Amino acid sequence: MYSLSEENYLKAIYHLEQQATAEVSTNAIAERMQTKASSVTDMIKKLADKDLLTYKKYKGVSLTDSGTRTALRIIRKHRLWEVFLVEKLQFKWHQVHDLAEQLEHIQSQELVNRLDDFLGNPQYDPHGDPIPDSEGNIKRRDKKLLGQLEANQSATCIGVKSASDDFLKYLSKNNIGIGSKLNVQEAEPFTGALTVKVGETTLFLTKEIANNIYVTLIKS
Amino acid sequence: MYSLSEENYLKAIYHLEQQATAEVSTNAIAERMQTKASSVTDMIKKLADKDLLTYKKYKGVSLTDSGTRTALRIIRKHRLWEVFLVEKLQFKWHQVHDLAEQLEHIQSQELVNRLDDFLGNPQYDPHGDPIPDSEGNIKRRDKKLLGQLEANQSATCIGVKSASDDFLKYLSKNNIGIGSKLNVQEAEPFTGALTVKVGETTLFLTKEIANNIYVTLIKS
DNA sequence: ATATATTTTTAGACTTGTCTAAATTATAGC
DNA sequence: GCTATAATTTAGACAAGTCTAAAAATATAT
């Protein structure tokens, strides 16, 4: 359907659109794709011709419905393959991204849907990001860094920001994993450190650690 | 490591080498790759530069050790993915080839080896072809068409040549599948039809059917 | 043994996706 | 509102992989 490059651009632009408020700029795309702005200009012209995005010279781009649908199909594949790699092949969270970048380009609706079933129709990937369904519907949830919480707030761990081996070991040693419920007891305003209750034990987390853990708030 | 095209050429040349006795010709490669002879010439020059094959103008090519090893790595991936698709995702034999053509190009030794373990280190793919191990060792076995057997020979079904839906249905209706033991009772010389015993039942198979079933002889 | 047919290679062109360098447009400071 | 700077686009080039058409080498037939 679309070339490898086209798919990568669509995905990058989709992610940038999620963060940004306005149109996505040429430079932003270039930086994310590790390429030159002139290459981006060439490519977005092609994508505009195919009605995957709207583009006004010097004014940035935004995906059309068709472009968004296509991006979500790729993201669905990426995240399902990540689940497969972690759940079935015992890879660690942080090892799967580059592999999924390759696997996401395999062309076959049938394959993705069977994979989805084989994995038990997971809702979230190993990083805690939601997996779009085959219609392109995606559950958005408020993803925050643990470090952004205040005292007395509760949250569920849904992933980590950057996952070094050491950091993952640290987490498992302290019984923190995806799905763990975390209660913030105290938030030290000056250092940004947190006192957090995990199950029955109370932990002291530095700002660096707290800002490397993604959570979603539990309403109280 | 190598480009998608390079990998496909290596695989095609490997398969042609298995059949042919002498060097593989430019035209043979072109036909198998569904491309033009001039394109083949261009590519084999590149592969020769990379020491993946030896090439003398107008004299055809043959893979070097390095080329063979590389081809076997790709074939290993292809066949393991086929097993995955059939065993885990419930695809039928004949649906998996095109998908495996895509999946075989995923780059990661780690992934292949984990997939191998996940699948229980299978020896053969769903078409009955042997799967090279991670060192590139491949068990060769005598693959014949059922139609080539003579009266009183016994063989194990290891695959089919071309698998239409109808044909696969025909087989399963008659309890023939991979691993089925087949005894040739009679071989009609003129029409090429066979009388075959499968378990307790005796079947009459036309030449067309018999020449679409791969078997390996059982020594008696 | 030589003419003819076939195979293979070369030459030159095209597409995709990238780049550098130069030109153009937008933006921010004053 | 003008000017300096930053962002973006254009122009032209390049590499990979393919193609067509023509030339060269090899194989075949009588």
Side-chain angles (χ1 to χ4, degrees), chain A residues 2 15 50 55 79 91 96 101 126 134 144 213:
Chain A
Y2 298 111
H15 286 308
K50 298 188 180 183
Y55 165 55
R79 294 184 178 166
F91 278 98
V96 298
E101 292 275 297
S134 57
K144 292 196 169 184
I213 298 176

Side-chain angles (χ1 to χ4, degrees), chain B residues 11 17 19 23 26 46 85 93 117 119-120 127 131 135 142 149 163 166 169 171 183 197 201 207:
Chain B
K11 193 165 54 105
E17 252 184 3
Q19 293 163 21
E23 319 301 290
T26 302
K46 255 202 302 188
L85 293 170
W93 295 358
D117 288 344
L119 298 171
H127 303 97
I131 299 173
E135 311 296 309
D142 245 324
L149 300 201
D166 281 348
K169 268 182 205 140
L171 290 183
N183 285 280
K197 210 168 160 193
T201 58
K207 185 183 178 181

Side-chain angles (χ1 to χ4, degrees), chain B residues 47-166:
Chain B
L47 296 176
D49 282 348
K50 297 188 179 182
D51 277 317
L52 294 164
L53 49 79
T54 55
Y55 165 54
K56 281 228 188 82
K57 269 193 193 177
Y58 298 100
K59 299 294 183 183
V61 302
S62 71
L63 294 179
T64 61
D65 281 0
S66 163
T68 305
R69 269 201 310 279
T70 307
L72 283 170
R73 263 202 292 276
I74 302 161
I75 289 166
R76 170 173 161 79
K77 286 192 276 182
H78 182 103
R79 294 184 178 165
L80 282 171
W81 279 115
E82 284 199 342
V83 173
F84 170 74
L85 293 170
V86 168
E87 301 269 304
K88 303 294 183 182
L89 300 194
Q90 326 295 335
F91 278 98
K92 299 276 185 258
W93 295 358
H94 64 293
Q95 301 176 301
V96 298
H97 187 263
D98 291 348
L99 280 171
E101 292 276 297
Q102 295 184 63
L103 289 160
E104 73 191 4
H105 300 292
I106 303 292
Q107 301 288 3
S108 165
Q109 278 293 115
E110 178 83 6
L111 171 56
V112 194
N113 293 336
R114 280 176 189 250
L115 183 64
D116 192 15
D117 288 344
F118 177 62
L119 298 171
N121 310 110
Q123 301 294 299
Y124 300 99
D125 78 6
H127 303 97
D129 295 313
I131 299 173
D133 69 18
S134 56
E135 311 296 309
N137 303 309
I138 182 166
K139 290 189 190 28
R140 296 179 202 290
R141 69 178 170 185
D142 245 324
K143 193 173 170 181
K144 294 195 167 185
L145 291 170
L146 180 55
Q148 296 171 325
L149 300 201
E150 291 163 19
N152 295 319
Q153 289 189 307
S154 291
T156 309
C157 173
I158 58 174
V160 296
K161 196 168 173 186
S162 88
S164 68
D165 256 324
D166 281 348

Side-chain angles (χ1 to χ4, degrees), chain A residues 3 5 9 35-36 38-39 42-43 46 58:
Chain A
S3 77
S5 262
Y9 272 94
T35 185
K36 302 290 155 166
S38 55
S39 308
D42 288 344
M43 180 55 89
K46 256 203 298 189
Y58 297 100

Side-chain angles (χ1 to χ4, degrees), chain A residues 27-51:
Chain A
N27 262 4
I29 301 170
E31 197 195 350
R32 196 180 165 108
M33 301 277 302
Q34 300 276 66
T35 185
K36 302 290 155 166
S38 55
S39 308
V40 173
T41 303
D42 288 344
M43 180 55 89
I44 60 189
K45 280 180 187 166
K46 256 203 298 189
L47 296 175
D49 282 346
K50 298 188 180 183
D51 277 316

Side-chain angles (χ1 to χ4, degrees), chain A residues 96-111:
Chain A
V96 298
H97 187 263
D98 291 347
L99 278 171
E101 292 275 297
Q102 294 185 60
L103 288 160
E104 74 191 3
H105 300 292
I106 302 292
Q107 299 290 1
S108 165
Q109 277 294 114
E110 179 83 4
L111 171 57

